[in-house]
Amino acid sequence: MEVLEILREASNRIYKNVKDLAGTNDAAGDFGVGAGGDISRNIDIVAEKTVLDYLKEINFECIVLGEECGRVELSKNPKGFVIMDAIDGSANAVRGVPFFCSSLAFATENKLSSITDGVITNLSNGEMYWASKNKGAFYNNKQIKVHKKDPIYKIVGINTSGSSIELMNKLHPIFENYNHTRHFGANALEMAMFARGLMDIFIDLRNKIRIQDIAAGYVIVKEAGGMLLDANLNPLDTDLSYETRVSFIAAANQEILDEIMSQI
Ligand code: IPD
Ligand code: CA
Ligand code: CA
């Protein structure tokens, strides 16, 4: 079975197991602080267990890097890493805001740039985004590309949750000069929507994004033709460690990148 098919099946199983749980009291159950540093909620645990059970069932030889469960070695001879954010947008999922997803990626080495496959599933409706290196990015069965044309409304995704006053001051011209700034609360799904052409640029300069938040989005954005840069405007890459935190800019083209960067 191809890696992509494994990730797609795991995502479908998460969707089946959590779709009726989101927004219920049961979703919120507190399981203490997970490997990623946030409280693990019951819905996170149910979703992660779904993936781990499936990977064990098919004897997939890998190391899982889960946001809640941490590093789980499923084989002594792993083929690579499954980078798992089983629920991205946990706050939305717990409250029942219909914007949360699963994000699963496969990397052959301890590097973001070694990611070969990624799948992001919108868990509020089951819609799936996926990509494999050099094979394009897809939304359900349709190939997707970032928005290359001049848009009717310029939509600027910008994550400022928990930002310092210094960062808010730096970003202020963007808020002043652009009427359509957006932040929906699930980084992976926002990257997928950017890849589909629904936003022109998506910026997160907080230095808070974990590997699990970005892994699947990394390959989907790249395969959709998007630029993916770090805060110094170099191509984004890093190791897959639990300590790593990144800032990033996903831009549809050089023009929008230059335009927004000239503001800050
Ligand atoms: C969070 C979401 C959110 C982003 C946070 C992430 P989680 O992931 O992606 O949009 O602002 O930085 O931690 O905790 O819901 O998996
Ligand atoms: Ca996340
Ligand atoms: Ca999560």
Side-chain angles (χ1 to χ4, degrees):
M1 201 174 183
E2 300 257 339
V3 169
L4 180 69
E5 288 316 310
I6 292 171
L7 302 184
R8 281 166 51 94
E9 176 59 20
S11 303
N12 276 327
R13 289 186 183 207
I14 296 176
Y15 178 56
K16 279 194 202 102
N17 287 352
V18 307
K19 68 177 168 22
D20 297 326
L21 189 56
T24 67
N25 286 340
D26 230 18
D30 183 338
F31 281 76
V33 177
D38 291 339
I39 302 239
S40 303
R41 299 290 167 188
N42 187 36
I43 193 163
D44 297 315
I45 301 295
V46 169
E48 278 204 343
K49 185 174 182 309
T50 302
V51 177
L52 289 168
D53 286 352
Y54 172 62
L55 296 178
K56 285 178 199 160
E57 181 188 313
I58 61 166
N59 291 319
F60 188 51
E61 299 201 286
C62 67
I63 295 171
V64 179
L65 301 175
E67 196 174 88
E68 318 299 333
C69 65
R71 181 186 169 103
V72 180
E73 296 193 10
L74 294 183
S75 164
K76 290 271 167 273
N77 297 303
K79 294 183 173 71
F81 302 92
V82 171
I83 308 161
M84 165 169 76
D85 191 353
I87 304 283
D88 183 52
S90 290
N92 285 349
V94 167
R95 294 295 304 272
V97 178
F99 196 92
F100 56 101
C101 65
S102 60
S103 166
L104 301 175
F106 184 78
T108 53
E109 286 161 46
N110 181 26
K111 279 255 165 224
L112 211 50
S113 53
S114 80
I115 293 174
T116 56
D117 302 270
V119 176
I120 293 171
T121 297
N122 180 339
L123 297 174
S124 70
N125 59 16
E127 290 178 350
M128 194 181 272
Y129 300 80
W130 73 88
S132 294
K133 203 169 184 173
N134 300 325
K135 291 187 183 161
F138 295 82
Y139 162 57
N140 294 331
N141 283 316
K142 200 169 155 275
Q143 186 160 14
I144 52 173
K145 294 271 179 209
V146 295
H147 196 98
K148 291 286 184 196
K149 285 185 282 181
D150 209 14
I152 300 169
Y153 293 105
K154 213 168 266 173
I155 300 208
V156 177
I158 183 161
N159 189 346
T160 54
S161 298
S163 291
S164 64
I165 187 76
E166 289 78 17
L167 180 57
M168 289 309 280
N169 284 339
K170 179 177 166 174
L171 297 173
H172 184 255
I174 301 179
F175 290 102
E176 194 169 337
N177 296 327
Y178 291 83
N179 283 332
H180 310 294
T181 55
R182 302 283 187 272
H183 169 46
F184 303 105
N187 184 74
L189 192 50
E190 285 159 289
M191 291 182 85
M193 288 186 166
F194 162 78
R196 192 179 145 198
L198 307 189
M199 286 185 252
D200 302 291
I201 190 162
F202 183 59
I203 306 164
D204 189 335
L205 298 178
R206 301 170 303 148
N207 208 28
K208 287 190 179 192
I209 287 296
R210 292 167 290 222
I211 293 311
Q212 286 78 7
D213 299 316
I214 204 168
Y218 176 89
V219 63
I220 293 173
V221 163
K222 290 195 113 157
E223 286 298 320
M227 303 169 73
L228 198 48
L229 307 168
D230 64 20
N232 298 317
L233 304 185
N234 294 317
L236 183 70
D237 198 10
T238 182
D239 60 32
L240 304 180
S241 103
Y242 275 86
E243 283 71 46
T244 298
R245 294 291 180 274
V246 299
S247 285
F248 74 93
I249 300 157
N253 53 57
Q254 190 68 45
E255 288 72 36
I256 186 81
L257 178 70
D258 291 346
E259 182 184 316
I260 296 291
M261 285 302 123
S262 70
Q263 303 277 323
I264 62 178

